Amino acid sequence: MSAEPNTVRNPNMQAPRSVGASRYIFIGAIVLLGAAVWLVVLPRLAQDRILKADSQQVSHQAPRVDVVWPHMEIGSDLTLPGNVQAVSEVTIFARASGYISRRYFDIGERVHAGQILADIESPEAKLQLEQAQADTSKSRNTVLQSQADVEKQRAGVAQAQADSSRAAASTEQSRAMVSNALARLAQAKASRSESEAKLAESKHALDGQKSAVEQSEAQMELATTTARRYRELLQEGFVTQQDDDQAQATLKVARAASSSAKSAVGAATANVQAAQEAINSAEAAVDAATADVSSSRQSLNASIASERSSHANVAAIEAGLRSSQSVVQVNRSGVNSQLANERRFGALSGFQRVRAPFDGVITARNVDVGTLVTAGGAATNLGPTTTVSTSGLFGLARTDELRIQVSVPQAYFQSIATGTKATVSVQEMPGRVFEGAVTMQSGALDSSSRTRMTEIRLKNPKGVLLPGMFARVVFAMGGKRRVLRVPANALDVGKDGTRVAVVRPDSTLHFVKVLLGRDFGPEAEVLEGLTGDERMVSNPTSDLKDGMRVEVASGGDAGPKMSPAGDHTPPSTKQPGIR
């Protein structure tokens, strides 16, 4: 029993041990958390700060660009296509009508000015001469006829004057008839107006009688109803016999009044019809008077026209008399005219021989012996490349000198003036060139192609070149001017036009508009906008902005060097194939 207290545990002694263990666990957890923060979070924060600093540095760093330079080149020759044409070309037509009796030359043969090309047989010329002689005799006979007409016309003048007097008297009589007809017309219109007034009055009375009929019928209906009601009341003993008699008398009076009103309506209707018939009669009288006035006026106009015709006839006969006297002189002059006509037909007989107007070669022959030809005829509207005529008798072209028309682009028209030398070649004659010169230029440019028509003349004494050939015309442009060329990858073509991105000495970028000339593929000519010393961005991108600062890639600051020809050529950026 004494050992029992020693075996019993004290709860108050176990609690301090549990509190100390919890404290150690808490402290260990804090240490582990601090180690995790030190090993994981702090390095990440440091890495984020480094990345932000790098990104800010990159955002403030200027973009790197590659640059290229323009360079000067001696202008290359300008080659343009053209069509060979004869300096003079004409279609020969016949001046006389007839049949081809003989032909002396054929297509491709050379002729000289004045040589006979063909003969035309025209028998009509002799017949025309005989007709002219007959017309002369006819004119002489006409003179005698005109003298006889003079006497006849004098008698006609006297007769016309008498007719004019009779027409004047008839005119006065017609005027009197017109006055009488107008008076009758006025009287008929007055009668019509009176009848119209009576018709209106009758219609008004008819309307009043119709209203009276309607009123009397209403009264009769009321009297009938009252009489029937009183008769029924009398049978039942509610009214006296006197009351019934009075109702029946009132009904009789109403019936009489209705009959009287209806009779009055009939009388009013008859009055309206009578007034209407009076109006119709008045209208007929007005129409008759109007017709009479019209007829009288027509007679007056006819009389006036007849009088004027008589006066005009007198004047015409007098004029005819003077004309007949003039015809005598005209016919006498006609004799001389027919003699001149005879000489004209003699001259036309000379056109039966067709002659060449100038030296040249026959390019077309559209007739043969027996062909019927007519004088004149419509000429063919030849195009700028047409060399063969399809109408007329012959086509003749002067080929000892040729012309070529070319279209010079707007960028070069100032470099080509009258007198500029040009060389001409054709594909069928390789290695052979012909010398020519500019003789004329158009005074304006073609608005659709922006080119200027230029004509080159060249000698062709042996006829080696033929009209209609396709030729290449070369203008020597190299010795006259130097042009600036830029690489094609430096051009920026967009809505603002053609531009280049130029890097200035202060490393700022600016876009400059340029005017291009010819395109050589990897290079292009620049006519305006550059001086030749600019650094241009190669392959400019859309993120480049005007005024921004850029960094030129290594090797881009070396600058252009002078080529042996005096051209600026960048040594490190020049592309293969670019001169």
Side-chain angles (χ1 to χ4, degrees):
M1 295 299 289
S2 60
E4 187 175 358
N6 294 333
T7 59
V8 177
R9 295 180 179 180
N10 190 356
N12 295 327
M13 294 177 64
Q14 186 67 25
R17 293 181 180 178
S18 299
V19 172
S22 299
R23 183 181 297 115
Y24 290 139
I25 293 173
F26 179 72
I27 293 173
I30 292 175
V31 171
L32 290 176
L33 180 61
V37 170
W38 179 263
L39 295 176
V40 178
V41 177
L42 292 180
R44 287 185 178 275
L45 294 175
Q47 187 177 4
D48 289 341
R49 288 196 297 271
I50 293 172
L51 290 176
K52 290 181 179 180
D54 291 342
S55 63
Q56 292 178 357
Q57 182 179 4
V58 170
S59 62
H60 292 85
Q61 184 178 2
R64 297 171 63 86
V65 295
D66 295 327
V67 295
V68 292
W69 288 266
H71 63 99
M72 300 296 294
E73 286 282 354
I74 297 176
S76 60
D77 295 338
L78 177 63
T79 302
L80 298 173
N83 295 294
V84 179
Q85 303 178 51
V87 69
S88 297
E89 187 173 3
V90 68
T91 300
I92 300 175
F93 290 90
R95 286 292 306 277
S97 301
Y99 293 92
I100 300 296
S101 61
R102 189 173 182 182
R103 178 176 53 79
Y104 297 94
F105 292 94
D106 207 339
I107 186 170
E109 295 182 343
R110 293 190 172 274
V111 298
H112 298 287
Q115 277 191 301
I116 300 174
L117 305 180
D119 289 335
I120 300 175
E121 183 179 353
S122 180
E124 291 84 357
K126 182 178 179 181
L127 296 177
Q128 290 172 340
L129 177 60
E130 294 177 355
Q131 182 179 356
Q133 294 173 348
D135 290 340
T136 302
S137 300
K138 181 180 179 180
S139 298
R140 289 172 179 169
N141 293 330
T142 304
V143 172
L144 300 176
Q145 181 66 33
S146 299
Q147 292 175 347
D149 290 341
V150 169
E151 300 300 327
K152 181 179 180 180
Q153 289 170 356
R154 285 177 180 172
V157 169
Q159 180 67 31
Q161 289 176 347
D163 292 340
S164 178
S165 300
R166 287 194 296 269
S170 178
T171 299
E172 294 300 327
Q173 183 179 1
S174 297
R175 284 195 178 98
M177 292 174 63
V178 169
S179 299
N180 294 332
L182 289 174
R184 289 194 298 272
L185 175 61
Q187 184 178 1
K189 287 182 177 179
S191 178
R192 181 182 62 183
S193 299
E194 184 179 357
S195 299
E196 288 176 350
K198 290 181 178 180
L199 175 62
E201 183 180 356
S202 300
K203 287 182 177 180
H204 180 70
L206 176 62
D207 293 337
Q209 294 300 329
K210 288 181 179 180
S211 300
V213 169
E214 293 177 356
Q215 183 178 4
S216 62
E217 287 180 351
Q219 291 176 354
M220 186 180 67
E221 290 178 0
L222 177 61
T224 301
T225 302
T226 302
R228 185 174 60 255
R229 185 179 299 116
Y230 270 88
R231 180 61 56 87
E232 291 175 356
L233 293 174
L234 177 64
Q235 293 176 358
E236 294 176 359
F238 289 102
V239 294
T240 62
Q241 182 65 41
Q242 183 179 356
D243 292 332
D244 179 64
D245 294 338
Q246 185 176 358
Q248 295 300 326
T250 301
L251 175 60
K252 292 179 180 180
V253 172
R255 287 177 178 173
S258 176
S259 299
S260 177
K262 290 179 179 179
S263 298
V265 168
T269 302
N271 291 335
V272 170
Q273 293 177 353
Q276 185 63 50
E277 291 176 357
I279 289 177
N280 294 336
S281 177
E283 287 287 349
V286 169
D287 293 340
T290 302
D292 193 11
V293 170
S294 177
S295 176
S296 300
R297 285 177 175 174
Q298 289 178 358
S299 298
L300 176 60
N301 293 333
S303 298
I304 294 173
S306 178
E307 183 179 0
R308 292 176 179 175
S309 176
S310 298
H311 291 299
N313 191 26
V314 172
I317 295 175
E318 290 177 349
L321 176 61
R322 293 189 296 269
S323 176
S324 298
Q325 293 172 347
S326 300
V327 166
V328 175
Q329 299 299 326
V330 170
N331 288 329
R332 288 174 180 174
S333 300
V335 175
N336 297 328
S337 175
Q338 293 301 327
L339 292 174
N341 199 28
E342 182 180 354
R343 291 191 296 270
R344 183 176 70 88
F345 285 121
L348 288 176
S349 62
F351 293 132
Q352 294 180 4
R353 288 193 166 185
V354 181
R355 299 180 184 272
F358 52 79
D359 295 349
V361 62
I362 302 296
T363 59
R365 190 265 300 168
N366 301 319
V367 295
D368 209 337
V369 176
T371 302
L372 176 63
V373 297
T374 57
T380 302
N381 184 16
L382 300 179
T385 59
T386 303
T387 58
V388 179
S389 174
T390 58
S391 63
L393 307 183
F394 296 93
L396 180 63
R398 178 186 168 189
T399 59
D400 59 337
E401 186 177 5
L402 300 175
R403 60 176 179 168
I404 302 176
Q405 292 181 350
V406 296
S407 298
V408 178
Q410 178 179 345
Y412 301 96
F413 82 95
Q414 291 183 338
S415 301
I416 299 175
T418 302
T420 302
K421 301 296 181 183
T423 57
V424 179
S425 61
V426 294
Q427 184 177 1
E428 292 76 16
M429 301 178 186
R432 188 171 182 179
V433 295
F434 303 88
E435 299 293 334
V438 176
T439 57
M440 62 182 67
Q441 294 177 294
S442 63
L445 272 68
D446 186 349
S447 60
S448 59
S449 61
R450 307 300 178 190
T451 58
R452 184 182 189 184
M453 193 281 291
T454 302
E455 183 173 298
I456 298 95
R457 295 281 183 94
L458 67 157
K459 300 296 183 181
N460 187 37
K462 296 183 180 180
V464 178
L465 296 177
L466 299 178
M469 281 185 167
F470 177 79
R472 296 172 67 250
V473 181
V474 179
F475 297 94
M477 307 291 292
K480 291 189 176 181
R481 66 169 187 165
R482 296 161 60 80
V483 294
L484 190 67
R485 294 189 186 183
V486 299
N489 59 5
L491 300 176
D492 178 36
V493 182
K495 63 179 181 179
D496 297 326
T498 303
R499 306 183 301 173
V500 295
V502 176
V503 181
R504 294 186 177 177
D506 59 354
S507 297
T508 58
L509 182 140
H510 296 275
F511 285 94
V512 178
K513 284 188 176 183
V514 294
L515 176 63
L516 299 183
R518 285 183 291 176
D519 186 359
F520 296 98
E523 288 186 327
E525 286 184 356
V526 175
L527 304 179
E528 294 180 4
L530 299 179
T531 61
D533 298 328
E534 293 87 351
R535 292 183 299 172
M536 301 176 298
V537 176
S538 176
N539 298 314
T541 58
S542 59
D543 58 347
L544 296 178
K545 307 298 181 183
D546 193 274
M548 71 183 304
R549 187 174 296 278
V550 297
E551 180 181 353
V552 179
S554 61
D557 294 327
K561 295 182 179 180
M562 296 297 292
S563 64
D567 306 332
H568 295 289
T569 306
S572 60
T573 61
K574 188 173 181 180
Q575 300 177 0
I578 298 179
R579 298 187 297 170

